[in-house]
């Protein structure tokens, strides 16, 4: 095999030789500004030439620590050996036929892996697509075909994509929905059990939020009209909100009791990210349908809907698909990604990342009152920033300080992301293969950023 220029062989070190961004990145940014639509934003305009393990190398020769993983995509690390080997072999064989025209084994093998890995021992089938939003849209189509109902229930703080239907499902207006309506109808939003912000306290959150959600569905929509309830087991873009324990089982039980298809959107949480193959396993949830993307294929575009065979088969022949859905090269990459997850036991790696990060961030929260909450599971960890701090009983969101901390981290060569309905959450999604030395160095940078406030 050709020697890799990036991937695991890349030196695992932070190295700054210019300011961030450097002059070559700034030149490329000017070219981007001239030719790429302004609506395509950029968090940190360093233009990457190589990546692997826990680092990104840019055109100026800087090597940055990666706490973003391309938004939870490169969980196995950029250009992981098995991903590259399998994808390269497939590229040399053929790049495309369209599975709907002349099929190939790779698609079937991915479906077989998904049937084995996803929760539940019932018969399962899958359909493959290109993106997370496409997977969610198709989950809605399948649920409607199965139930012969139309309404779809989603939750506050949820994010499900940028297409017309998934914008309707998404809670946050700016930047995802603003100015892009009208949106798809028959979408209803209900409360999420958000422990940090539940008005009567975290201890009452699960029961009260579930009761409110079920009451609203029953009174405002009618359970008999609901095709699907869609929820992220941990809300991603909404702020890495882990619903209070007991909330998800209560909602899942309500769905089952009323013939509603329960859909777990595991696009950001899936494939070892939370220390389990899928986040819904934490409370023993077995969804009817599960949507996946991001971490499934080591960086190549692939997504899936997997679920109970009788539900998946409800759509008529030809009703599901797409020209590129389940592309053979992306399927090969997914098989390499899953192989890597198993061989390296990336669930254990994610749990170790949680142990290290939460210890450091909890200590920071005790020192800096602006950190109101430390939360998350596995390598999906976040801190929520508030203006006066919880010691004063004030939980006013502080997006300005959040942006300032992120900017300080970027300047020191650490890629971090922000999120949250109020823009006041720092989220950390390191590759699951990151070395503990880089993880510690990244946390040192975060600590320095808070010290410099």
């Amino acid at each position: 095999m050709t020697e890799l220029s990036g991937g695991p062989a890349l030196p695992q070190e932070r190295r700054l030789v210019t300011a961030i961004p450097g002059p070559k990145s700034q030149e490329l940014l000017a070219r981007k500004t001239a030719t790429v639509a302004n609506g395509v934003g950029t968090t940190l305009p360093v233009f990457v030439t190589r990546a692997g393990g826990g680092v990104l190398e840019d055109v100026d020769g800087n090597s940055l620590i990666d706490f973003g993983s391309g938004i939870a995509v490169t969980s196995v690390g950029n250009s992981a050996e098995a991903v590259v080997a399998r994808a390269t072999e497939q590229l040399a064989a053929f790049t495309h036929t369209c599975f709907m025209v002349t099929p190939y084994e790779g698609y079937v093998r991915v479906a077989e892996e998904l049937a084995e890995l996803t929760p539940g021992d019932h018969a399962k089938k899958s359909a493959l697509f290109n993106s997370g939003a496409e997977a969610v849209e198709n989950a809605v189509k399948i649920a409607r075909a199965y139930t012969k109902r139309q309404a779809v229930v989603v939750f506050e703080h949820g994010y499900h994509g940028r297409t017309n239907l998934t914008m309707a499902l998404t809670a946050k207006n700016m930047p995802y929905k603003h100015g892009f309506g009208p949106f798809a109808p028959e979408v209803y939003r209900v409360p999420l059990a958000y422990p940090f912000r539940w008005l009567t306290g975290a201890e009452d959150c699960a029961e009260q939020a579930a009761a409110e959600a079920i009451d609203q569905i029953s009174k405002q929509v009618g359970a008999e009209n609901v095709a699907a309830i869609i929820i992220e087991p941990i809300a991603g873009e909404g702020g890495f909100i882990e619903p209070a324990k007991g909330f998800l089982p209560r909602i899942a039980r309500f769905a089952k009791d009323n013939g509603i298809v329960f859909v777990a959107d595991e696009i950001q949480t899936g494939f070892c990210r939370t220390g389990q193959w899928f986040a819904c396993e934490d409370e023993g949830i077995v969804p009817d349908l599960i949507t996946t993307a991001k971490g499934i294929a080591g960086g190549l575009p692939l997504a899936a809907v997997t679920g109970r065979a009788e539900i998946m088969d409800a759509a008529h022949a030809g009703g599901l698909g797409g020209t590129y859905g389940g592309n053979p090269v992306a399927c090969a990459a997914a098989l390499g990604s899953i192989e890597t997850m198993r061989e390296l036991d990336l669930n254990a790696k994610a749990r170790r990342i949680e142990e290290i990060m939460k210890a450091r961030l909890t200590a920071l929260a005790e020192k800096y009152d602006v950190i109101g909450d430390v939360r998350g599971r596995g390598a999906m960890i976040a801190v929520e920033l508030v203006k006066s701090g919880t010691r004063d009983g004030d939980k006013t969101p502080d997006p300005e300080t959040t942006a300032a901390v992120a900017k300080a981290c970027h300047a020191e060569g650490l890629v971090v992301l922000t999120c949250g309905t109020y823009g006041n959450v720092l989220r950390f999604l390191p590759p699951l293969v990151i070395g503990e030395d880089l993880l510690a160095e990244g946390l040192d940078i975060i600590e320095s950023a808070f010290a410099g406030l």
Side-chain angles (χ1 to χ4, degrees):
M1 194 173 87
T2 304
E3 184 178 350
L4 300 176
S5 62
L10 198 63
Q12 296 296 292
E13 61 182 12
R14 180 175 68 105
R15 182 180 65 254
L16 299 184
V17 296
T18 72
I20 303 295
K24 291 181 180 178
S25 281
Q26 292 184 46
E27 289 175 12
L28 284 165
L29 180 61
R31 289 167 57 188
K32 171 191 177 290
T33 302
T35 57
V36 178
N38 286 341
V40 182
T42 299
T43 298
L44 176 56
V46 294
F47 283 74
V48 174
T49 56
R50 301 191 300 172
V55 298
L56 307 170
E57 188 173 292
D58 72 9
V59 290
D60 291 287
N62 299 299
S63 179
L64 290 77
I65 300 173
D66 183 12
F67 274 17
S69 299
I71 316 182
V73 170
T74 55
S75 296
V76 295
N78 256 290
S79 299
E81 290 180 358
V83 172
V84 172
R86 286 178 181 262
T88 300
E89 183 180 1
Q90 181 59 56
L91 276 167
F94 62 93
T95 56
H96 176 75
T97 66
C98 183
F99 190 77
M100 298 181 301
V101 178
T102 53
Y104 37 88
E105 184 184 4
Y107 189 118
V108 177
R109 288 186 62 194
V110 170
E112 290 170 341
E113 290 282 15
L114 288 167
E116 179 182 340
L117 293 171
T118 52
D121 56 5
H122 51 275
K124 301 172 198 166
K125 292 190 176 183
S126 292
L128 305 185
F129 304 99
N130 303 293
S131 69
E134 204 177 341
V136 173
E137 290 227 0
N138 278 277
V140 171
K141 287 166 58 176
I142 293 163
R144 284 174 169 167
Y146 179 72
T147 61
K148 305 298 189 286
R149 304 171 181 177
Q150 293 185 338
V152 179
V153 171
V154 290
F155 293 82
E156 292 174 353
H157 310 288
Y159 175 84
H160 300 286
R162 297 172 183 257
T163 59
N164 187 264
L165 174 57
T166 57
M167 279 192 294
L169 302 175
T170 291
K172 191 174 180 178
N173 174 52
M174 193 67 172
Y176 305 114
K177 302 167 70 168
H178 187 74
F180 297 143
F183 304 115
E186 287 300 311
V187 173
Y188 301 88
R189 195 171 320 283
V190 296
L192 178 71
Y194 188 165
F196 180 65
R197 294 198 171 274
W198 198 253
L199 290 178
T200 59
E203 62 279 359
D204 299 322
C205 182
E207 184 62 31
Q208 291 181 359
E212 285 190 25
I214 290 168
D215 184 65
Q216 289 183 23
I217 295 168
S218 301
K219 289 181 178 176
Q220 298 179 27
V221 188
E224 69 277 11
N225 297 316
V226 179
I229 292 175
I230 306 175
I231 190 167
E232 301 164 279
I234 298 175
E237 177 59 29
F240 281 25
I241 303 163
E242 186 175 2
K245 298 296 184 189
F247 177 80
L248 285 173
R250 177 90 183 271
I251 298 298
R253 186 166 61 250
F254 172 78
K256 183 177 182 180
D257 290 346
N258 290 276
I260 300 167
V261 176
F262 184 83
V263 183
D265 180 343
E266 294 253 14
I267 287 159
Q268 189 163 169
T269 54
F271 293 99
C272 307
R273 175 53 58 181
T274 65
Q276 295 167 294
W277 281 100
F278 298 98
C280 59
E281 296 177 73
D282 183 65
E283 292 188 85
I285 303 294
V286 178
D288 297 311
L289 301 179
I290 185 167
T291 59
T292 53
K294 290 190 182 293
I296 191 174
L300 275 73
L302 188 69
V305 182
T306 303
R308 298 183 184 276
E310 68 273 18
I311 298 176
M312 291 296 298
D313 282 343
H316 54 271
L320 304 178
T323 302
Y324 295 107
N327 170 269
V329 180
C331 285
L335 295 171
S337 184
I338 292 168
E339 174 189 336
T340 303
M341 292 173 191
R342 284 194 176 110
E343 288 189 354
L344 299 181
D345 191 1
L346 292 190
N347 280 314
K349 296 272 191 183
R351 292 191 294 270
R352 176 60 179 158
I353 289 170
E354 176 184 352
E355 180 184 354
I356 294 169
M357 294 199 80
K358 276 194 170 177
R360 290 284 302 273
L361 294 171
T362 300
L364 272 184
E366 293 172 356
K367 187 175 181 181
Y368 298 104
D369 208 21
V370 70
I371 300 177
D373 196 26
V374 178
R375 58 178 179 253
R377 291 208 308 270
M380 187 175 182
I381 303 297
V383 294
E384 179 166 355
L385 305 192
V386 293
K387 285 195 179 292
S388 299
T390 51
R391 292 172 207 163
D392 300 324
D394 188 349
K395 296 183 181 181
T396 303
D398 192 348
E400 295 82 12
T401 299
T402 306
V405 172
K407 183 177 180 180
C409 290
H410 295 164
E412 293 300 317
L414 175 66
V415 178
V416 297
L417 307 172
T418 61
C419 66
T421 299
Y422 313 107
N424 67 320
V425 177
L426 287 164
R427 57 173 160 171
F428 310 116
L429 293 160
L432 305 182
V433 296
I434 192 170
E436 291 189 12
D437 54 342
L438 281 180
L439 191 63
E441 187 175 359
L443 288 162
D444 289 341
I445 293 170
I446 293 168
E447 185 166 359
S448 295
F450 278 100
L453 291 175

